[in-house]
Amino acid sequence: MLETIARELRELGMEARIVPSWNGPGGAGIVFPLRPPSGRFRGQILQLGLSFQEDAYPEYPPHFVHFRQEEIGGAHFTIHSKYEFEGAEWWAFSLPPSDFWDRLAPSEKNMRTFVRRHLFRVLEQL
């Protein structure tokens, strides 16, 4: 599952890497840089992490979105947990794309859709 997500993110031009274990929720995950196209982080490169509650991607998308605290500073969302990873404080947020993911055709359940429709709007609201 994580290999598929990392591959899909790499196909979008992102340097995704699998993290076998971190102190955040969801156990293993993916970390990758992302440059938001708009919002207060427009043009900046942020390090993001993704992890899961369910082990059935693409039927179930990533549930947790992780950010380095120093990169985002504050948040308008409720922080699910805080933890240390690679010498920095990270914040994990429970942000599943429940409002649209279940209605997608199977061919649209991929990281391209997740990044464009979900992560970019999350970044707009941070």
Side-chain angles (χ1 to χ4, degrees):
M1 175 182 79
L2 294 177
E3 293 82 9
T4 300
I5 293 166
R7 179 183 44 77
E8 289 181 12
L9 289 169
R10 289 182 193 121
E11 288 171 358
L12 297 173
M14 297 172 208
E15 296 179 24
R17 62 187 170 98
I18 296 171
V19 178
S21 179
W22 54 18
N23 297 325
I30 302 283
V31 174
F32 61 99
L34 183 64
R35 184 186 308 262
S38 59
R40 76 176 174 130
F41 299 109
R42 180 180 182 198
Q44 297 179 42
I45 297 176
L46 303 175
Q47 295 299 311
L48 273 71
L50 301 175
S51 62
F52 295 81
Q53 276 193 326
E54 303 288 337
D55 189 18
Y57 177 82
E59 183 61 29
Y60 296 103
H63 183 93
F64 297 102
V65 181
H66 307 250
F67 297 96
R68 287 176 57 153
Q69 181 275 329
E70 66 189 39
E71 291 184 346
I72 65 169
H76 301 288
F77 301 115
T78 300
I79 298 170
H80 179 273
S81 61
K82 298 178 182 182
Y83 60 96
E84 290 287 319
F85 175 66
E86 295 183 339
E89 181 175 323
W90 285 70
W91 292 349
F93 299 88
S94 174
L95 298 170
S98 305
D99 61 320
F100 71 87
W101 195 265
D102 291 343
R103 295 189 310 271
L104 292 174
S107 62
E108 294 177 309
K109 291 183 177 184
N110 54 51
M111 281 294 106
R112 177 178 302 280
T113 302
F114 186 83
V115 169
R116 289 183 176 171
R117 285 191 62 187
H118 186 58
L119 288 183
F120 285 161
R121 73 176 174 172
V122 165
L123 289 163
E124 282 273 337
Q125 297 172 20
L126 273 177

